[in-house]
Amino acid sequence: MQTTENWSFMPRSLEEYDVNLVNGFTPEQTPLSRLPDEYYSPWEDLVSRLTDHLLAGRFRERVLQLPLLSIDRLTCRREYQRAYVVLTFLAHSYVWGLHQKAEDVIPECIAVPLWQVSRYLGIKPVVTNASVVLWNWEVLDTNRERMELDNLASLITFTGSPDEAWFYLVSVAIEAKGGEILRDIGKAISNVGANNMDGVTNALLSLAKSIVLITKILNRMYEKNDPYMFYWKIRQYLAGWENMKDAGLEHGVMYEGAEKVDDTYLTDGSDTESSLYKKYPGGSAAQSSVLQAIDVALGIAYYPTSASAENARPDSPQPSSRVPEVRPPQNHYLLRMRDHMPSLHKLFLEDLAGAPGIRRYVLENTRGISKPSTTEFTPQIEINENLSDGETTESAQPSKAQKIGLIKAYNNCISALKAFRSSHIFIVKKYVVEQARSGRTAGSSAVNSRDASPVGDRTRVNSPIITEKIVTVTPKAVVNGLAQAVEEGKAVVGTGGTDAIEFLSSIRNKTGTYRI
């Protein structure tokens, strides 16, 4: 059989999910650098001088002078995406300021259009991965490889620093590899449906290489993003308004006037004392659709969560009594982060969960050489090396070598994904935890930051394992929003409002349990 790639296993076309096989969840067409209608010049002119007005201490004053503009003149999805990027940057700049106390009310001139644009895109009205990464880049030289890291620029930053731009662009380059990753996933699932074991194996081997590649990109973070600069100057602007009592937002943030134009405002899920105040997490890597797509495709910690996904496809392999389908617990935070993705991407992930399962296929088709355990929440397989080549309990084919090759290919993906998450943990520890522990001291040099990289120019599969258990959240002193010195033994809160190391470690460790 030939390897096939056919996304007909999904109920909708990739275009309907706003997904493509070139850049994945990142738009194939370069995002707008400015809204074309001059009606929106007040927004664009202010965001173009964002850093200057923050530095002058007059940004909030300038915001209050903005007119309340209608979104009715936005004509297409690209324009809505640009408006969302601009308005989230303006909103977070207003809330956090620069060396100022946090403001808990976003003025109507920003709050109302931001709320409306967010409803159109099906995403939360707060800085997200879509704000700073997916829709916030441009290509420098169109005659070169478009989406390579050294050919990209950020459209908007809060600080105007190269460190901030580099932080976003590393993620852009990773997201852009989503095209290759989705091609690999599509081939694997298509071949599952066609019962082509060699095709599934080859696709998984390619997927593992793609995951290694994005790990190499991630490990370039050290090159041009200094940890001191990131923690003390940049990171606060990415924070949302959840679990931010110590940063000055005990009740969250009010979107002034939004309740007058949208009935959903008062009922939008947000655990606050007053429905007028909203508590939303800020931007987080957990909002990356491409990373969640890898999890879903490999069967890691997810099972169908929507009506469309729960309806079994007729070509889906059915569970065998010999290989029980044990459903693992959902990670509720990761599922919640889908509400901080564009709604079409969230729908893609839900529908992908209903596609023929790669993990189940591996388990079902290696029964002749494996002994699955039913004691774990995910079935584990032990290779039976004593079984003669070609001997199976069902038929003469596929061979033992093919089955072992399939298992190894799947495990390569799991190992590569775990290594990616180990690298992510190490970065968070260096850029966030160590800075918070050290207090506000002299900044580290970019050269020292690069030298401290655990990987250099290579991807280390056996990345450092972070095992420390950090509990509770009580910052010693608020310096400016999230820029806080945190005592030893206290947790460091991520921009998503969670204990950063504990959350990432749990996800990384869970990934490792899926090796077959």
Side-chain angles (χ1 to χ4, degrees):
M1 296 183 182
Q2 292 184 341
T3 299
T4 60
E5 177 189 356
N6 184 348
W7 281 83
S8 62
F9 55 80
M10 295 286 275
R12 300 167 180 82
S13 68
L14 293 182
E15 184 178 3
E16 291 178 275
Y17 296 111
D18 196 27
V19 173
N20 64 85
L21 295 181
V22 177
N23 295 335
F25 299 92
T26 308
E28 187 173 359
Q29 190 175 8
T30 305
L32 291 172
S33 59
R34 187 179 177 92
L35 290 169
D37 192 333
E38 286 301 310
Y39 173 76
Y40 297 108
S41 291
W43 296 349
E44 293 286 3
D45 292 344
L46 181 56
V47 82
S48 70
R49 302 294 299 274
L50 179 62
T51 305
D52 296 333
H53 291 302
L54 283 170
L55 186 60
R58 299 187 60 190
F59 178 77
R60 288 172 177 167
E61 175 186 335
R62 290 298 305 272
V63 166
L64 295 175
Q65 296 171 0
L66 286 175
L68 175 58
L69 302 179
S70 169
I71 68 168
D72 292 344
R73 295 173 70 158
L74 299 173
T75 63
C76 62
R77 182 167 296 276
R78 286 180 78 213
E79 292 187 10
Y80 274 92
Q81 290 170 349
R82 172 64 184 180
Y84 177 75
V85 171
V86 170
L87 291 167
T88 52
F89 269 84
L90 293 179
H92 279 241
S93 298
Y94 188 90
V95 168
W96 296 116
L98 179 62
H99 305 305
Q100 296 170 301
K101 181 181 177 181
E103 287 282 354
D104 65 356
V105 177
I106 301 176
E108 185 176 27
C109 55
I110 295 177
V112 168
L114 173 56
W115 190 270
Q116 294 172 320
V117 166
S118 299
R119 295 285 78 78
Y120 176 89
L121 294 170
I123 195 169
K124 295 299 183 183
V126 66
V127 157
T128 62
N129 185 63
S131 302
V132 298
V133 175
L134 294 185
W135 306 331
N136 187 39
W137 55 272
E138 62 180 336
V139 174
L140 295 175
D141 185 351
T142 56
N143 295 319
R144 295 179 51 198
E145 182 68 28
R146 294 181 73 247
M147 300 301 289
E148 293 302 316
L149 188 50
D150 61 355
N151 195 33
L152 294 168
S154 290
L155 295 172
I156 307 175
T157 63
F158 292 103
T159 64
S161 67
D163 301 73
E164 182 182 354
W166 187 254
F167 175 70
Y168 300 154
L169 293 175
V170 167
S171 295
V172 172
I174 290 173
E175 292 285 347
K177 296 303 178 185
E180 296 176 28
I181 289 170
L182 291 182
R183 292 198 295 271
D184 295 333
I185 291 173
K187 290 175 183 176
I189 296 177
S190 294
N191 282 290
V192 165
N195 194 25
N196 178 2
M197 183 174 291
D198 288 342
V200 176
T201 300
N202 291 334
L204 289 175
L205 290 173
S206 181
L207 177 59
K209 291 179 181 178
S210 296
I211 299 172
V212 169
L213 179 58
I214 65 173
T215 306
K216 290 181 178 179
I217 296 172
L218 177 65
N219 287 325
R220 293 188 63 186
M221 184 67 71
Y222 306 94
E223 292 180 14
K224 299 174 185 177
N225 182 16
D226 181 79
Y228 174 86
M229 182 68 183
F230 175 76
Y231 184 79
W232 295 104
K233 304 296 183 182
I234 299 167
R235 181 172 171 265
Q236 70 175 61
Y237 293 110
L238 304 177
W241 358 111
E242 182 172 83
N243 297 332
M244 292 297 162
K245 177 180 179 180
D246 292 302
L249 300 177
E250 179 177 0
H251 303 294
V253 162
M254 180 191 299
Y255 294 75
E256 185 180 48
E259 76 281 1
K260 300 176 184 178
V261 298
D262 190 344
D263 292 340
T264 66
Y265 182 86
L266 297 178
T267 58
D268 185 68
S270 188
D271 185 17
T272 59
E273 295 180 5
S274 169
S275 59
L276 289 177
Y277 280 82
K278 304 300 174 186
K279 292 184 177 180
Y280 299 128
S284 168
Q287 298 159 4
S288 169
S289 299
V290 69
L291 293 178
Q292 288 212 27
I294 295 172
D295 285 337
V296 172
L298 295 177
I300 298 176
Y302 287 99
Y303 52 88
T305 58
S306 71
S308 60
E310 288 171 355
N311 295 326
R313 304 278 191 272
D315 56 351
S316 300
Q318 296 303 308
S320 165
S321 59
R322 301 185 58 184
V323 184
E325 180 72 5
V326 181
R327 285 186 168 185
Q330 297 183 71
N331 185 298
H332 293 290
Y333 182 77
L334 284 178
L335 289 175
R336 185 185 173 204
M337 285 300 96
R338 294 183 181 183
D339 292 332
H340 292 250
M341 301 175 184
S343 59
L344 293 180
H345 294 175
K346 175 183 177 180
L347 180 61
F348 175 90
L349 294 173
E350 291 176 346
D351 286 344
L352 183 63
I358 295 172
R359 181 178 177 82
R360 180 185 294 178
Y361 178 85
V362 175
L363 294 171
E364 287 287 311
N365 287 276
T366 55
R367 293 198 305 268
I369 59 168
S370 63
K371 182 180 178 181
S373 169
T374 59
T375 61
E376 302 291 337
F377 72 85
T378 54
Q380 304 295 312
I381 283 185
E382 298 177 2
I383 301 297
N384 183 352
E385 297 292 350
N386 296 321
L387 190 65
S388 60
D389 188 32
E391 181 180 351
T392 70
T393 59
E394 300 292 338
S395 63
Q397 58 177 353
S399 68
K400 174 188 172 184
Q402 287 176 299
K403 294 180 178 182
I404 292 177
L406 177 63
I407 293 173
K408 289 182 176 179
Y410 179 85
N411 284 343
N412 281 352
C413 292
I414 299 299
S415 296
L417 188 57
K418 184 178 179 182
F420 176 89
R421 288 180 168 143
S422 291
S423 291
H424 188 196
I425 290 172
F426 195 89
I427 287 174
V428 172
K429 186 179 181 184
K430 181 166 188 62
Y431 278 78
V432 179
V433 177
E434 290 183 6
Q435 288 296 311
R437 295 280 183 263
S438 65
R440 195 169 192 179
T441 58
S444 60
S445 70
V447 173
N448 288 338
S449 299
R450 290 193 293 271
D451 291 345
S453 168
V455 292
D457 293 326
R458 297 177 294 113
T459 297
R460 284 178 51 171
V461 174
N462 298 317
S463 299
I465 304 300
I466 310 300
T467 58
E468 59 182 297
K469 176 76 172 180
I470 307 174
V471 296
T472 194
V473 180
T474 310
K476 181 178 180 181
V478 176
V479 176
N480 192 19
L482 269 192
Q484 304 167 348
V486 181
E487 295 176 343
E488 191 69 34
K490 307 297 183 181
V492 179
V493 180
T495 51
T498 63
D499 179 333
I501 294 297
E502 184 174 37
F503 169 72
L504 293 173
S505 295
S506 68
I507 296 299
R508 187 273 315 281
N509 295 339
K510 180 70 68 64
T511 298
T513 68
Y514 281 82
R515 281 184 57 86
I516 294 175

